[in-house]
Structure formats: C-alpha cells, structure tokens
Amino acid sequence: MRRLHEGRMRGFGFPPGFPFGQGGPGGFGGGPGWGPPGPGGHGHRRGGRGSRPNVRPALLALLLERPMHGYEMIQELESRTGGIWRPSPGSVYPTLQLLEDEGLIEAEATGGRKRFTLTEAGRAEAQTAAENPPWAQFSDDTMSQVQDFRDAAVGIMSALRQVGFSGTPEQRQRALEVLNETKRKLYAILADSE
C-alpha cells in the first residue's frame, strides 16, 4: 500500500504526474520538442490537456542556480512540484546530452557521475528559461488537488482489496459493477467539458 502512495500511482494505471497527462516513468517525461520553442529554435508539440512540461528549459533553469548531476536535477524537479512531476531518466539524460552537444552545458566527471555546468553560450537561454521555469505552472492549489486524488485512489484500492479478499462472490460482483459505473461517470465528466 505504501508503494502505491509513494510510487506516483503506477498501480492504478494513472499516468505519472496525474492529473496532467501521460509521461515517462515516474513523471511527465517531456524532453526536446515539448513546449514552446526556445532560443535554440527547437519546435514545439502541443497536446492541449495533458501536454507535458518541457525538460529542456527546466534543466537549464536549474543549472543557472548551480552545477548539478542528472539525478540531482530529477530529484529537484520532483521536490519543486510536490512530487507531481518527476521527469524520467529517459528524458533527462538525452536532453543533457543534446545540450552538451550544442555547447550549452559541459560535463565534468566526479565520483563516477557527470556534473553539469552551464557554458557562457548556454547562460542566455538558461536566463530566459528561469524567467518562467516549467515547475512554476504547478500552483499550491494544483499540488493539493493532486494529493487529494492520490489519497482518494489509495482509499479506493484499500476498499477493493478488502472486498477482493473478504467478500463473497456476490459482493465482488457488486463491487465490479460499482467500478464500471464509476469509470463511465468519470469519462462522462470529460465528455461534458468538451
């Protein structure tokens, strides 16, 4: 049960970073090509509801503050968004490699890990990114609502587990009907908004 609560709801089929949209393991993912184009001229891909924050400006904005390792940046973004957004290593490390290839950051190996620092060429794009960093879109109200969703989902899973282990076949069938009806009602909420 603790893993469900702390693991960003993977066991429920919720996308990491719920309720904002599908992401990579453990978070929104993102990466080059997501969000508005930056000074480097990279295009954007908009997804409306469920579009993901852009990893590129987030990493640059963090590096404007201090040099960091890749994993440290992942942890920092998770911390700044209350656990809502934890970009995956599969989006962070390729983005760091791209930034290094473009000459915007440089890496120094320390203790078996790479520590990244902005170059002079990367500082201008990093300053632009820091003016409106991707993590700023997560308001306190949004983070509170996400926690409410998580708490409700954990409670539902606990009830389902009890029905599954202790309920009669008839009770399990009734629980299944409730779940299917709830699913229909949730989709109806989305349909109403469109």
Side-chain angles (χ1 to χ4, degrees), residues 80-120:
R80 293 186 188 205
T81 60
I84 297 172
W85 182 33
R86 180 185 170 91
S88 69
S91 64
V92 168
Y93 289 103
T95 303
L96 288 169
Q97 184 61 57
L98 178 65
L99 293 171
E100 189 176 2
D101 291 346
E102 292 176 1
L104 302 180
I105 64 173
E106 56 190 10
E108 176 189 357
T110 57
R113 295 189 300 172
K114 284 186 174 182
R115 185 166 162 247
F116 297 93
T117 308
L118 285 172
T119 63
E120 281 305 311

PDB file of all heavy atoms in Angstrom, residues 80-120:
ATOM      1  N   ARG A  80      10.304  20.379  -6.256  1.00  0.00           N
ATOM      2  CA  ARG A  80       9.690  21.691  -6.520  1.00  0.00           C
ATOM      3  C   ARG A  80       8.243  21.589  -6.971  1.00  0.00           C
ATOM      4  O   ARG A  80       7.531  22.588  -6.955  1.00  0.00           O
ATOM      5  CB  ARG A  80      10.511  22.448  -7.564  1.00  0.00           C
ATOM      6  CG  ARG A  80      11.877  22.829  -7.047  1.00  0.00           C
ATOM      7  CD  ARG A  80      12.639  23.706  -8.003  1.00  0.00           C
ATOM      8  NE  ARG A  80      14.007  23.879  -7.526  1.00  0.00           N
ATOM      9  CZ  ARG A  80      14.778  24.901  -7.823  1.00  0.00           C
ATOM     10  NH1 ARG A  80      14.334  25.852  -8.627  1.00  0.00           N
ATOM     11  NH2 ARG A  80      16.005  24.983  -7.342  1.00  0.00           N
ATOM     12  N   THR A  81       7.816  20.403  -7.385  1.00  0.00           N
ATOM     13  CA  THR A  81       6.422  20.233  -7.823  1.00  0.00           C
ATOM     14  C   THR A  81       5.643  19.333  -6.861  1.00  0.00           C
ATOM     15  O   THR A  81       4.589  18.810  -7.226  1.00  0.00           O
ATOM     16  CB  THR A  81       6.364  19.631  -9.242  1.00  0.00           C
ATOM     17  OG1 THR A  81       7.004  18.351  -9.241  1.00  0.00           O
ATOM     18  CG2 THR A  81       7.045  20.542 -10.252  1.00  0.00           C
ATOM     19  N   GLY A  82       6.151  19.157  -5.667  1.00  0.00           N
ATOM     20  CA  GLY A  82       5.435  18.348  -4.694  1.00  0.00           C
ATOM     21  C   GLY A  82       5.228  16.912  -5.126  1.00  0.00           C
ATOM     22  O   GLY A  82       4.245  16.281  -4.748  1.00  0.00           O
ATOM     23  N   GLY A  83       6.143  16.388  -5.935  1.00  0.00           N
ATOM     24  CA  GLY A  83       6.046  15.009  -6.385  1.00  0.00           C
ATOM     25  C   GLY A  83       5.184  14.815  -7.619  1.00  0.00           C
ATOM     26  O   GLY A  83       5.031  13.699  -8.102  1.00  0.00           O
ATOM     27  N   ILE A  84       4.615  15.894  -8.163  1.00  0.00           N
ATOM     28  CA  ILE A  84       3.742  15.773  -9.335  1.00  0.00           C
ATOM     29  C   ILE A  84       4.550  15.466 -10.585  1.00  0.00           C
ATOM     30  O   ILE A  84       4.172  14.640 -11.401  1.00  0.00           O
ATOM     31  CB  ILE A  84       2.934  17.077  -9.548  1.00  0.00           C
ATOM     32  CG1 ILE A  84       2.018  17.332  -8.354  1.00  0.00           C
ATOM     33  CG2 ILE A  84       2.112  16.993 -10.825  1.00  0.00           C
ATOM     34  CD1 ILE A  84       1.330  18.681  -8.403  1.00  0.00           C
ATOM     35  N   TRP A  85       5.662  16.153 -10.742  1.00  0.00           N
ATOM     36  CA  TRP A  85       6.467  15.982 -11.951  1.00  0.00           C
ATOM     37  C   TRP A  85       7.838  15.452 -11.581  1.00  0.00           C
ATOM     38  O   TRP A  85       8.624  16.131 -10.926  1.00  0.00           O
ATOM     39  CB  TRP A  85       6.602  17.314 -12.694  1.00  0.00           C
ATOM     40  CG  TRP A  85       7.376  17.204 -13.972  1.00  0.00           C
ATOM     41  CD1 TRP A  85       7.423  16.145 -14.838  1.00  0.00           C
ATOM     42  CD2 TRP A  85       8.223  18.212 -14.546  1.00  0.00           C
ATOM     43  NE1 TRP A  85       8.236  16.423 -15.909  1.00  0.00           N
ATOM     44  CE2 TRP A  85       8.743  17.686 -15.763  1.00  0.00           C
ATOM     45  CE3 TRP A  85       8.576  19.502 -14.163  1.00  0.00           C
ATOM     46  CZ2 TRP A  85       9.603  18.416 -16.579  1.00  0.00           C
ATOM     47  CZ3 TRP A  85       9.437  20.226 -14.969  1.00  0.00           C
ATOM     48  CH2 TRP A  85       9.940  19.676 -16.181  1.00  0.00           C
ATOM     49  N   ARG A  86       8.111  14.246 -11.986  1.00  0.00           N
ATOM     50  CA  ARG A  86       9.448  13.648 -11.836  1.00  0.00           C
ATOM     51  C   ARG A  86       9.843  13.147 -13.216  1.00  0.00           C
ATOM     52  O   ARG A  86       9.494  12.025 -13.604  1.00  0.00           O
ATOM     53  CB  ARG A  86       9.428  12.509 -10.822  1.00  0.00           C
ATOM     54  CG  ARG A  86      10.797  11.858 -10.633  1.00  0.00           C
ATOM     55  CD  ARG A  86      10.688  10.658  -9.714  1.00  0.00           C
ATOM     56  NE  ARG A  86      11.923   9.896  -9.696  1.00  0.00           N
ATOM     57  CZ  ARG A  86      12.928  10.097  -8.838  1.00  0.00           C
ATOM     58  NH1 ARG A  86      12.833  11.039  -7.929  1.00  0.00           N
ATOM     59  NH2 ARG A  86      14.011   9.346  -8.887  1.00  0.00           N
ATOM     60  N   PRO A  87      10.534  13.974 -13.991  1.00  0.00           N
ATOM     61  CA  PRO A  87      10.890  13.533 -15.340  1.00  0.00           C
ATOM     62  C   PRO A  87      11.746  12.274 -15.285  1.00  0.00           C
ATOM     63  O   PRO A  87      12.533  12.084 -14.366  1.00  0.00           O
ATOM     64  CB  PRO A  87      11.649  14.719 -15.927  1.00  0.00           C
ATOM     65  CG  PRO A  87      12.024  15.576 -14.783  1.00  0.00           C
ATOM     66  CD  PRO A  87      11.077  15.300 -13.682  1.00  0.00           C
ATOM     67  N   SER A  88      11.548  11.435 -16.264  1.00  0.00           N
ATOM     68  CA  SER A  88      12.241  10.151 -16.277  1.00  0.00           C
ATOM     69  C   SER A  88      13.700  10.330 -16.700  1.00  0.00           C
ATOM     70  O   SER A  88      14.028  11.256 -17.446  1.00  0.00           O
ATOM     71  CB  SER A  88      11.552   9.194 -17.237  1.00  0.00           C
ATOM     72  OG  SER A  88      11.742   9.632 -18.566  1.00  0.00           O
ATOM     73  N   PRO A  89      14.576   9.418 -16.250  1.00  0.00           N
ATOM     74  CA  PRO A  89      15.952   9.440 -16.751  1.00  0.00           C
ATOM     75  C   PRO A  89      15.992   9.356 -18.278  1.00  0.00           C
ATOM     76  O   PRO A  89      16.870   9.933 -18.912  1.00  0.00           O
ATOM     77  CB  PRO A  89      16.581   8.205 -16.104  1.00  0.00           C
ATOM     78  CG  PRO A  89      15.784   7.988 -14.857  1.00  0.00           C
ATOM     79  CD  PRO A  89      14.373   8.391 -15.206  1.00  0.00           C
ATOM     80  N   GLY A  90      15.018   8.662 -18.863  1.00  0.00           N
ATOM     81  CA  GLY A  90      14.961   8.521 -20.309  1.00  0.00           C
ATOM     82  C   GLY A  90      14.662   9.809 -21.044  1.00  0.00           C
ATOM     83  O   GLY A  90      14.832   9.887 -22.265  1.00  0.00           O
ATOM     84  N   SER A  91      14.191  10.828 -20.325  1.00  0.00           N
ATOM     85  CA  SER A  91      14.013  12.136 -20.953  1.00  0.00           C
ATOM     86  C   SER A  91      15.095  13.120 -20.513  1.00  0.00           C
ATOM     87  O   SER A  91      15.514  13.971 -21.297  1.00  0.00           O
ATOM     88  CB  SER A  91      12.623  12.706 -20.632  1.00  0.00           C
ATOM     89  OG  SER A  91      12.479  12.949 -19.253  1.00  0.00           O
ATOM     90  N   VAL A  92      15.573  12.980 -19.286  1.00  0.00           N
ATOM     91  CA  VAL A  92      16.559  13.933 -18.759  1.00  0.00           C
ATOM     92  C   VAL A  92      17.939  13.720 -19.380  1.00  0.00           C
ATOM     93  O   VAL A  92      18.561  14.669 -19.881  1.00  0.00           O
ATOM     94  CB  VAL A  92      16.641  13.836 -17.222  1.00  0.00           C
ATOM     95  CG1 VAL A  92      17.854  14.602 -16.689  1.00  0.00           C
ATOM     96  CG2 VAL A  92      15.358  14.377 -16.600  1.00  0.00           C
ATOM     97  N   TYR A  93      18.431  12.489 -19.379  1.00  0.00           N
ATOM     98  CA  TYR A  93      19.809  12.269 -19.832  1.00  0.00           C
ATOM     99  C   TYR A  93      20.005  12.521 -21.327  1.00  0.00           C
ATOM    100  O   TYR A  93      21.006  13.123 -21.718  1.00  0.00           O
ATOM    101  CB  TYR A  93      20.297  10.887 -19.399  1.00  0.00           C
ATOM    102  CG  TYR A  93      20.536  10.831 -17.907  1.00  0.00           C
ATOM    103  CD1 TYR A  93      19.630  10.206 -17.066  1.00  0.00           C
ATOM    104  CD2 TYR A  93      21.642  11.459 -17.335  1.00  0.00           C
ATOM    105  CE1 TYR A  93      19.829  10.173 -15.687  1.00  0.00           C
ATOM    106  CE2 TYR A  93      21.854  11.437 -15.973  1.00  0.00           C
ATOM    107  CZ  TYR A  93      20.942  10.795 -15.145  1.00  0.00           C
ATOM    108  OH  TYR A  93      21.135  10.787 -13.794  1.00  0.00           O
ATOM    109  N   PRO A  94      19.062  12.127 -22.190  1.00  0.00           N
ATOM    110  CA  PRO A  94      19.231  12.505 -23.603  1.00  0.00           C
ATOM    111  C   PRO A  94      19.185  14.021 -23.817  1.00  0.00           C
ATOM    112  O   PRO A  94      19.883  14.547 -24.682  1.00  0.00           O
ATOM    113  CB  PRO A  94      18.045  11.815 -24.301  1.00  0.00           C
ATOM    114  CG  PRO A  94      17.705  10.666 -23.421  1.00  0.00           C
ATOM    115  CD  PRO A  94      17.967  11.157 -22.030  1.00  0.00           C
ATOM    116  N   THR A  95      18.370  14.708 -23.017  1.00  0.00           N
ATOM    117  CA  THR A  95      18.311  16.171 -23.130  1.00  0.00           C
ATOM    118  C   THR A  95      19.629  16.794 -22.688  1.00  0.00           C
ATOM    119  O   THR A  95      20.138  17.724 -23.325  1.00  0.00           O
ATOM    120  CB  THR A  95      17.149  16.734 -22.293  1.00  0.00           C
ATOM    121  OG1 THR A  95      15.926  16.127 -22.726  1.00  0.00           O
ATOM    122  CG2 THR A  95      17.037  18.244 -22.452  1.00  0.00           C
ATOM    123  N   LEU A  96      20.209  16.274 -21.618  1.00  0.00           N
ATOM    124  CA  LEU A  96      21.514  16.767 -21.171  1.00  0.00           C
ATOM    125  C   LEU A  96      22.575  16.521 -22.245  1.00  0.00           C
ATOM    126  O   LEU A  96      23.420  17.387 -22.497  1.00  0.00           O
ATOM    127  CB  LEU A  96      21.912  16.093 -19.858  1.00  0.00           C
ATOM    128  CG  LEU A  96      21.127  16.533 -18.619  1.00  0.00           C
ATOM    129  CD1 LEU A  96      21.417  15.612 -17.435  1.00  0.00           C
ATOM    130  CD2 LEU A  96      21.434  17.984 -18.264  1.00  0.00           C
ATOM    131  N   GLN A  97      22.519  15.354 -22.873  1.00  0.00           N
ATOM    132  CA  GLN A  97      23.482  15.057 -23.936  1.00  0.00           C
ATOM    133  C   GLN A  97      23.312  16.029 -25.103  1.00  0.00           C
ATOM    134  O   GLN A  97      24.287  16.519 -25.672  1.00  0.00           O
ATOM    135  CB  GLN A  97      23.306  13.617 -24.423  1.00  0.00           C
ATOM    136  CG  GLN A  97      24.334  13.206 -25.460  1.00  0.00           C
ATOM    137  CD  GLN A  97      25.754  13.258 -24.938  1.00  0.00           C
ATOM    138  OE1 GLN A  97      26.076  12.611 -23.941  1.00  0.00           O
ATOM    139  NE2 GLN A  97      26.623  14.034 -25.576  1.00  0.00           N
ATOM    140  N   LEU A  98      22.060  16.325 -25.453  1.00  0.00           N
ATOM    141  CA  LEU A  98      21.780  17.269 -26.533  1.00  0.00           C
ATOM    142  C   LEU A  98      22.318  18.663 -26.184  1.00  0.00           C
ATOM    143  O   LEU A  98      22.954  19.318 -27.007  1.00  0.00           O
ATOM    144  CB  LEU A  98      20.272  17.327 -26.798  1.00  0.00           C
ATOM    145  CG  LEU A  98      19.809  18.303 -27.873  1.00  0.00           C
ATOM    146  CD1 LEU A  98      20.338  17.894 -29.243  1.00  0.00           C
ATOM    147  CD2 LEU A  98      18.283  18.374 -27.892  1.00  0.00           C
ATOM    148  N   LEU A  99      22.072  19.101 -24.958  1.00  0.00           N
ATOM    149  CA  LEU A  99      22.557  20.419 -24.522  1.00  0.00           C
ATOM    150  C   LEU A  99      24.088  20.464 -24.542  1.00  0.00           C
ATOM    151  O   LEU A  99      24.681  21.491 -24.894  1.00  0.00           O
ATOM    152  CB  LEU A  99      22.027  20.742 -23.122  1.00  0.00           C
ATOM    153  CG  LEU A  99      20.514  20.961 -23.012  1.00  0.00           C
ATOM    154  CD1 LEU A  99      20.090  21.045 -21.549  1.00  0.00           C
ATOM    155  CD2 LEU A  99      20.106  22.248 -23.749  1.00  0.00           C
ATOM    156  N   GLU A 100      24.704  19.350 -24.179  1.00  0.00           N
ATOM    157  CA  GLU A 100      26.169  19.289 -24.213  1.00  0.00           C
ATOM    158  C   GLU A 100      26.665  19.334 -25.664  1.00  0.00           C
ATOM    159  O   GLU A 100      27.624  20.046 -25.978  1.00  0.00           O
ATOM    160  CB  GLU A 100      26.645  18.022 -23.513  1.00  0.00           C
ATOM    161  CG  GLU A 100      28.149  17.974 -23.304  1.00  0.00           C
ATOM    162  CD  GLU A 100      28.592  16.741 -22.521  1.00  0.00           C
ATOM    163  OE1 GLU A 100      27.753  15.898 -22.167  1.00  0.00           O
ATOM    164  OE2 GLU A 100      29.815  16.626 -22.283  1.00  0.00           O
ATOM    165  N   ASP A 101      25.987  18.597 -26.548  1.00  0.00           N
ATOM    166  CA  ASP A 101      26.364  18.598 -27.962  1.00  0.00           C
ATOM    167  C   ASP A 101      26.222  19.985 -28.583  1.00  0.00           C
ATOM    168  O   ASP A 101      26.986  20.362 -29.478  1.00  0.00           O
ATOM    169  CB  ASP A 101      25.502  17.608 -28.758  1.00  0.00           C
ATOM    170  CG  ASP A 101      25.804  16.151 -28.400  1.00  0.00           C
ATOM    171  OD1 ASP A 101      26.842  15.893 -27.754  1.00  0.00           O
ATOM    172  OD2 ASP A 101      24.970  15.288 -28.738  1.00  0.00           O
ATOM    173  N   GLU A 102      25.245  20.747 -28.100  1.00  0.00           N
ATOM    174  CA  GLU A 102      25.019  22.102 -28.618  1.00  0.00           C
ATOM    175  C   GLU A 102      25.970  23.120 -27.994  1.00  0.00           C
ATOM    176  O   GLU A 102      25.956  24.295 -28.366  1.00  0.00           O
ATOM    177  CB  GLU A 102      23.578  22.526 -28.349  1.00  0.00           C
ATOM    178  CG  GLU A 102      22.548  21.736 -29.143  1.00  0.00           C
ATOM    179  CD  GLU A 102      21.119  22.111 -28.777  1.00  0.00           C
ATOM    180  OE1 GLU A 102      20.917  22.995 -27.914  1.00  0.00           O
ATOM    181  OE2 GLU A 102      20.190  21.514 -29.348  1.00  0.00           O
ATOM    182  N   GLY A 103      26.776  22.678 -27.031  1.00  0.00           N
ATOM    183  CA  GLY A 103      27.729  23.576 -26.394  1.00  0.00           C
ATOM    184  C   GLY A 103      27.107  24.483 -25.348  1.00  0.00           C
ATOM    185  O   GLY A 103      27.722  25.473 -24.939  1.00  0.00           O
ATOM    186  N   LEU A 104      25.897  24.150 -24.868  1.00  0.00           N
ATOM    187  CA  LEU A 104      25.229  24.987 -23.875  1.00  0.00           C
ATOM    188  C   LEU A 104      25.584  24.590 -22.451  1.00  0.00           C
ATOM    189  O   LEU A 104      25.476  25.401 -21.528  1.00  0.00           O
ATOM    190  CB  LEU A 104      23.706  24.921 -24.066  1.00  0.00           C
ATOM    191  CG  LEU A 104      23.200  25.353 -25.446  1.00  0.00           C
ATOM    192  CD1 LEU A 104      21.691  25.239 -25.524  1.00  0.00           C
ATOM    193  CD2 LEU A 104      23.642  26.777 -25.763  1.00  0.00           C
ATOM    194  N   ILE A 105      25.991  23.342 -22.266  1.00  0.00           N
ATOM    195  CA  ILE A 105      26.452  22.878 -20.956  1.00  0.00           C
ATOM    196  C   ILE A 105      27.720  22.051 -21.171  1.00  0.00           C
ATOM    197  O   ILE A 105      28.016  21.625 -22.282  1.00  0.00           O
ATOM    198  CB  ILE A 105      25.387  22.029 -20.218  1.00  0.00           C
ATOM    199  CG1 ILE A 105      25.086  20.734 -20.980  1.00  0.00           C
ATOM    200  CG2 ILE A 105      24.111  22.834 -19.980  1.00  0.00           C
ATOM    201  CD1 ILE A 105      24.168  19.774 -20.237  1.00  0.00           C
ATOM    202  N   GLU A 106      28.451  21.852 -20.089  1.00  0.00           N
ATOM    203  CA  GLU A 106      29.612  20.975 -20.139  1.00  0.00           C
ATOM    204  C   GLU A 106      29.572  20.055 -18.938  1.00  0.00           C
ATOM    205  O   GLU A 106      28.997  20.399 -17.896  1.00  0.00           O
ATOM    206  CB  GLU A 106      30.916  21.778 -20.177  1.00  0.00           C
ATOM    207  CG  GLU A 106      31.098  22.756 -19.047  1.00  0.00           C
ATOM    208  CD  GLU A 106      32.288  23.687 -19.269  1.00  0.00           C
ATOM    209  OE1 GLU A 106      32.841  23.683 -20.389  1.00  0.00           O
ATOM    210  OE2 GLU A 106      32.648  24.402 -18.322  1.00  0.00           O
ATOM    211  N   ALA A 107      30.138  18.877 -19.093  1.00  0.00           N
ATOM    212  CA  ALA A 107      30.107  17.865 -18.042  1.00  0.00           C
ATOM    213  C   ALA A 107      31.493  17.629 -17.496  1.00  0.00           C
ATOM    214  O   ALA A 107      32.486  17.646 -18.226  1.00  0.00           O
ATOM    215  CB  ALA A 107      29.535  16.561 -18.601  1.00  0.00           C
ATOM    216  N   GLU A 108      31.525  17.419 -16.188  1.00  0.00           N
ATOM    217  CA  GLU A 108      32.775  17.068 -15.510  1.00  0.00           C
ATOM    218  C   GLU A 108      32.510  15.802 -14.713  1.00  0.00           C
ATOM    219  O   GLU A 108      31.544  15.750 -13.935  1.00  0.00           O
ATOM    220  CB  GLU A 108      33.212  18.197 -14.581  1.00  0.00           C
ATOM    221  CG  GLU A 108      34.446  17.878 -13.774  1.00  0.00           C
ATOM    222  CD  GLU A 108      34.712  18.939 -12.697  1.00  0.00           C
ATOM    223  OE1 GLU A 108      33.966  19.931 -12.637  1.00  0.00           O
ATOM    224  OE2 GLU A 108      35.667  18.739 -11.935  1.00  0.00           O
ATOM    225  N   ALA A 109      33.299  14.768 -14.923  1.00  0.00           N
ATOM    226  CA  ALA A 109      33.113  13.507 -14.206  1.00  0.00           C
ATOM    227  C   ALA A 109      33.651  13.646 -12.795  1.00  0.00           C
ATOM    228  O   ALA A 109      34.815  13.999 -12.587  1.00  0.00           O
ATOM    229  CB  ALA A 109      33.824  12.368 -14.935  1.00  0.00           C
ATOM    230  N   THR A 110      32.776  13.402 -11.817  1.00  0.00           N
ATOM    231  CA  THR A 110      33.174  13.448 -10.407  1.00  0.00           C
ATOM    232  C   THR A 110      32.561  12.250  -9.701  1.00  0.00           C
ATOM    233  O   THR A 110      31.349  12.072  -9.711  1.00  0.00           O
ATOM    234  CB  THR A 110      32.684  14.740  -9.713  1.00  0.00           C
ATOM    235  OG1 THR A 110      31.261  14.829  -9.843  1.00  0.00           O
ATOM    236  CG2 THR A 110      33.329  15.965 -10.307  1.00  0.00           C
ATOM    237  N   GLY A 111      33.406  11.419  -9.107  1.00  0.00           N
ATOM    238  CA  GLY A 111      32.913  10.263  -8.363  1.00  0.00           C
ATOM    239  C   GLY A 111      32.113   9.303  -9.214  1.00  0.00           C
ATOM    240  O   GLY A 111      31.131   8.736  -8.737  1.00  0.00           O
ATOM    241  N   GLY A 112      32.477   9.159 -10.453  1.00  0.00           N
ATOM    242  CA  GLY A 112      31.770   8.232 -11.331  1.00  0.00           C
ATOM    243  C   GLY A 112      30.498   8.797 -11.929  1.00  0.00           C
ATOM    244  O   GLY A 112      29.803   8.111 -12.656  1.00  0.00           O
ATOM    245  N   ARG A 113      30.172  10.044 -11.616  1.00  0.00           N
ATOM    246  CA  ARG A 113      28.974  10.666 -12.183  1.00  0.00           C
ATOM    247  C   ARG A 113      29.359  11.960 -12.885  1.00  0.00           C
ATOM    248  O   ARG A 113      30.367  12.584 -12.563  1.00  0.00           O
ATOM    249  CB  ARG A 113      27.956  10.988 -11.084  1.00  0.00           C
ATOM    250  CG  ARG A 113      27.403   9.764 -10.400  1.00  0.00           C
ATOM    251  CD  ARG A 113      26.251  10.111  -9.492  1.00  0.00           C
ATOM    252  NE  ARG A 113      26.628  11.052  -8.448  1.00  0.00           N
ATOM    253  CZ  ARG A 113      25.764  11.624  -7.612  1.00  0.00           C
ATOM    254  NH1 ARG A 113      24.492  11.372  -7.714  1.00  0.00           N
ATOM    255  NH2 ARG A 113      26.185  12.463  -6.687  1.00  0.00           N
ATOM    256  N   LYS A 114      28.513  12.364 -13.832  1.00  0.00           N
ATOM    257  CA  LYS A 114      28.754  13.623 -14.533  1.00  0.00           C
ATOM    258  C   LYS A 114      28.063  14.765 -13.814  1.00  0.00           C
ATOM    259  O   LYS A 114      26.886  14.683 -13.473  1.00  0.00           O
ATOM    260  CB  LYS A 114      28.209  13.544 -15.970  1.00  0.00           C
ATOM    261  CG  LYS A 114      29.054  12.743 -16.929  1.00  0.00           C
ATOM    262  CD  LYS A 114      28.476  12.865 -18.335  1.00  0.00           C
ATOM    263  CE  LYS A 114      29.373  12.196 -19.358  1.00  0.00           C
ATOM    264  NZ  LYS A 114      28.823  12.358 -20.726  1.00  0.00           N
ATOM    265  N   ARG A 115      28.815  15.818 -13.599  1.00  0.00           N
ATOM    266  CA  ARG A 115      28.259  17.040 -13.008  1.00  0.00           C
ATOM    267  C   ARG A 115      28.219  18.090 -14.116  1.00  0.00           C
ATOM    268  O   ARG A 115      29.218  18.344 -14.779  1.00  0.00           O
ATOM    269  CB  ARG A 115      29.166  17.496 -11.865  1.00  0.00           C
ATOM    270  CG  ARG A 115      28.656  18.681 -11.100  1.00  0.00           C
ATOM    271  CD  ARG A 115      29.471  18.794  -9.807  1.00  0.00           C
ATOM    272  NE  ARG A 115      29.344  20.112  -9.236  1.00  0.00           N
ATOM    273  CZ  ARG A 115      30.316  20.987  -9.140  1.00  0.00           C
ATOM    274  NH1 ARG A 115      31.518  20.678  -9.602  1.00  0.00           N
ATOM    275  NH2 ARG A 115      30.123  22.160  -8.602  1.00  0.00           N
ATOM    276  N   PHE A 116      27.024  18.666 -14.336  1.00  0.00           N
ATOM    277  CA  PHE A 116      26.821  19.557 -15.471  1.00  0.00           C
ATOM    278  C   PHE A 116      26.861  21.013 -15.037  1.00  0.00           C
ATOM    279  O   PHE A 116      26.358  21.389 -13.975  1.00  0.00           O
ATOM    280  CB  PHE A 116      25.484  19.251 -16.140  1.00  0.00           C
ATOM    281  CG  PHE A 116      25.422  17.869 -16.717  1.00  0.00           C
ATOM    282  CD1 PHE A 116      24.920  16.809 -15.971  1.00  0.00           C
ATOM    283  CD2 PHE A 116      25.895  17.608 -17.993  1.00  0.00           C
ATOM    284  CE1 PHE A 116      24.872  15.527 -16.492  1.00  0.00           C
ATOM    285  CE2 PHE A 116      25.857  16.327 -18.525  1.00  0.00           C
ATOM    286  CZ  PHE A 116      25.339  15.290 -17.770  1.00  0.00           C
ATOM    287  N   THR A 117      27.466  21.842 -15.893  1.00  0.00           N
ATOM    288  CA  THR A 117      27.603  23.270 -15.660  1.00  0.00           C
ATOM    289  C   THR A 117      27.253  24.000 -16.947  1.00  0.00           C
ATOM    290  O   THR A 117      27.537  23.520 -18.041  1.00  0.00           O
ATOM    291  CB  THR A 117      29.065  23.616 -15.283  1.00  0.00           C
ATOM    292  OG1 THR A 117      29.482  22.771 -14.208  1.00  0.00           O
ATOM    293  CG2 THR A 117      29.198  25.067 -14.857  1.00  0.00           C
ATOM    294  N   LEU A 118      26.649  25.165 -16.796  1.00  0.00           N
ATOM    295  CA  LEU A 118      26.355  25.996 -17.968  1.00  0.00           C
ATOM    296  C   LEU A 118      27.642  26.535 -18.572  1.00  0.00           C
ATOM    297  O   LEU A 118      28.585  26.870 -17.856  1.00  0.00           O
ATOM    298  CB  LEU A 118      25.479  27.179 -17.580  1.00  0.00           C
ATOM    299  CG  LEU A 118      24.008  26.918 -17.306  1.00  0.00           C
ATOM    300  CD1 LEU A 118      23.355  28.183 -16.753  1.00  0.00           C
ATOM    301  CD2 LEU A 118      23.280  26.448 -18.559  1.00  0.00           C
ATOM    302  N   THR A 119      27.661  26.637 -19.882  1.00  0.00           N
ATOM    303  CA  THR A 119      28.727  27.371 -20.555  1.00  0.00           C
ATOM    304  C   THR A 119      28.253  28.806 -20.750  1.00  0.00           C
ATOM    305  O   THR A 119      27.080  29.124 -20.526  1.00  0.00           O
ATOM    306  CB  THR A 119      29.027  26.752 -21.935  1.00  0.00           C
ATOM    307  OG1 THR A 119      27.865  26.874 -22.754  1.00  0.00           O
ATOM    308  CG2 THR A 119      29.431  25.286 -21.808  1.00  0.00           C
ATOM    309  N   GLU A 120      29.148  29.662 -21.179  1.00  0.00           N
ATOM    310  CA  GLU A 120      28.737  31.035 -21.473  1.00  0.00           C
ATOM    311  C   GLU A 120      27.668  31.061 -22.549  1.00  0.00           C
ATOM    312  O   GLU A 120      26.722  31.834 -22.505  1.00  0.00           O
ATOM    313  CB  GLU A 120      29.945  31.876 -21.903  1.00  0.00           C
ATOM    314  CG  GLU A 120      30.808  32.343 -20.746  1.00  0.00           C
ATOM    315  CD  GLU A 120      30.011  33.112 -19.700  1.00  0.00           C
ATOM    316  OE1 GLU A 120      29.246  34.033 -20.077  1.00  0.00           O
ATOM    317  OE2 GLU A 120      30.131  32.786 -18.505  1.00  0.00           O
TER     318      GLU A 120
END
